[in-house]
Amino acid sequence: MEEQVRLNKYMASCGIGSRRHCDTLIRAGKVCVNGQHPELGQKITPGKDTVEYEGRPLVPSPEDTHLILHKPRGVIVSAYDPHNPYTVYDLLKEKGITVPGLQYVGRLDKDSEGLLLFTTRGDLNNALTHPRFEIKKEYSVLVADEIPDTVIARVLSRGIVSEGELLRAGRILRRDSTSEGVWYTVTLYEGKNRQIRRMVSTMGTRVLRLIRHQFATLRLGDVSYGEYRYLTGREIRGICRKVHLS
């Protein structure tokens, strides 16, 4: 007898997202099994049943893929953007990377650069971006003007409100001053939209460069600008342990 699996588990193995997210897509009518809308909890037989998401057949990757990209400035983190057609997927495709189900984990805005993680594991992506795990992210930030120590201390103790939203940083450390501006190391444990740029603006200056060099247990290291590398087995086990996955 051929082994059956739950539909949401099968979809997660195809890189669509967590099982809970897949259930949401099933409820929304975006999934078909053999041409019919399935029920929640339905089981399928991989290789025999045809599963489609928004009209696209879903096939699991033969093995999981995990890589980090040194994202350049000016490249959009999106699968498609009609206003900015050149995306991280176009960059990877130019380098011969066309892995089905490959997802970016979190985002960097167009003008930011540095470490961007990709994985084919939807459950890992969902866990690493879930607020409850408070994943560490560390950045080198060049700002136009020095930020007073009293302002930094206040932000670290109370947070700072921007656009009606409370933003917090784990650490803000002044490094050195250059002819361009002042460099800081900023550590976050949350991932709100354009968070560092908004915090810096509220503190009275502006970001000139923003480079992410750490995400969870991963470091950018010597990955060249615009290049990528695959994760080692040890690195994969490390990030999975962070979010209690095997």
Side-chain angles (χ1 to χ4, degrees), residues 37-38 46 57 61 68 87 101 106 121 137-138 153 158 206-207 225 233-234:
H37 291 298
S61 299
I68 58 175
T87 73
R121 281 189 60 173
K137 296 167 283 287
E138 195 164 271
R158 305 178 193 170
R206 59 192 174 90
V207 172
Y225 190 78
R234 182 176 181 179

Side-chain angles (χ1 to χ4, degrees), residues 140-156:
S140 292
V141 186
L142 177 66
V143 301
D145 308 289
E146 185 155 357
I147 303 169
D149 291 342
T150 53
V151 173
I152 291 175
R154 185 169 65 249
V155 169
L156 291 176

Side-chain angles (χ1 to χ4, degrees), residues 71-77 83-84 108-113 194 197:
K71 176 198 165 306
R73 298 172 78 175
V75 180
I76 297 296
V77 180
H83 304 293
N84 298 279
L108 287 172
D109 64 44
K110 181 179 179 180
D111 295 322
S112 297
E113 54 198 284
R194 297 176 67 84
R197 294 184 188 277

Side-chain angles (χ1 to χ4, degrees), residues 71-144:
K71 176 198 165 306
R73 298 172 78 175
V75 180
I76 297 296
V77 180
S78 175
Y80 172 72
D81 187 325
H83 304 293
N84 298 279
Y86 190 73
T87 73
V88 287
Y89 289 102
D90 295 312
L91 176 59
L92 289 174
K93 186 175 181 180
E94 289 174 358
K95 299 180 181 301
I97 306 297
T98 55
V99 179
L102 190 65
Q103 314 163 41
Y104 52 82
V105 181
R107 287 178 179 267
L108 287 172
D109 64 44
K110 181 179 179 180
D111 295 322
S112 297
E113 54 198 284
L115 192 160
L116 183 63
L117 173 64
F118 288 82
T119 180
T120 51
R121 281 189 60 173
D123 59 342
L124 180 60
N125 187 353
N126 185 66
L128 287 169
T129 53
H130 197 288
R132 74 186 178 96
F133 287 109
E134 297 185 338
I135 295 300
K136 178 181 179 180
K137 296 167 283 287
E138 195 164 271
Y139 303 80
S140 292
V141 186
L142 177 66
V143 301

Side-chain angles (χ1 to χ4, degrees), residues 15-221:
I16 298 302
S18 68
R19 296 186 194 185
R20 181 178 296 179
H21 178 63
C22 292
D23 282 339
T24 300
L25 298 176
I26 293 168
R27 278 194 295 267
K30 296 185 177 183
V31 181
C32 286
V33 176
N34 301 325
Q36 303 293 321
H37 291 298
E39 297 179 357
L40 284 177
Q42 181 170 324
K43 291 187 176 182
I44 65 155
T45 303
K48 181 178 180 181
D49 293 315
T50 300
V51 180
E52 294 179 315
Y53 167 54
E54 294 186 333
R56 175 171 58 90
L58 295 183
V59 180
S61 299
E63 59 183 52
D64 292 319
T65 298
H66 313 272
L67 62 87
I68 58 175
L69 171 71
H70 188 156
K71 176 198 165 306
R73 298 172 78 175
V75 180
I76 297 296
V77 180
S78 175
Y80 172 72
D81 187 325
H83 304 293
N84 298 279
Y86 190 73
T87 73
V88 287
Y89 289 102
D90 295 312
L91 176 59
L92 289 174
K93 186 175 181 180
E94 289 174 358
K95 299 180 181 301
I97 306 297
T98 55
V99 179
L102 190 65
Q103 314 163 41
Y104 52 82
V105 181
R107 287 178 179 267
L108 287 172
D109 64 44
K110 181 179 179 180
D111 295 322
S112 297
E113 54 198 284
L115 192 160
L116 183 63
L117 173 64
F118 288 82
T119 180
T120 51
R121 281 189 60 173
D123 59 342
L124 180 60
N125 187 353
N126 185 66
L128 287 169
T129 53
H130 197 288
R132 74 186 178 96
F133 287 109
E134 297 185 338
I135 295 300
K136 178 181 179 180
K137 296 167 283 287
E138 195 164 271
Y139 303 80
S140 292
V141 186
L142 177 66
V143 301
D145 308 289
E146 185 155 357
I147 303 169
D149 291 342
T150 53
V151 173
I152 291 175
R154 185 169 65 249
V155 169
L156 291 176
S157 64
R158 305 178 193 170
I160 192 167
V161 176
S162 171
E163 301 171 9
E165 185 175 31
L166 181 63
L167 307 176
R168 294 186 179 276
R171 183 176 72 153
I172 303 174
L173 178 66
R174 185 189 186 282
R175 282 170 27 201
D176 57 289
S177 180
T178 71
S179 58
E180 297 176 286
V182 186
W183 282 99
Y184 289 85
T185 296
V186 179
T187 304
L188 301 181
Y189 293 94
E190 55 187 24
K192 297 176 180 176
N193 185 43
R194 297 176 67 84
Q195 182 167 346
I196 291 177
R197 294 184 188 277
R198 290 163 59 195
M199 293 179 76
V200 168
S201 176
T202 305
M203 287 188 279
T205 184
R206 59 192 174 90
V207 172
L208 302 177
R209 284 189 73 185
L210 196 158
I211 308 165
R212 181 159 68 195
H213 53 79
Q214 182 174 352
F215 183 91
T217 54
L218 304 173
R219 299 194 70 87
L220 187 60

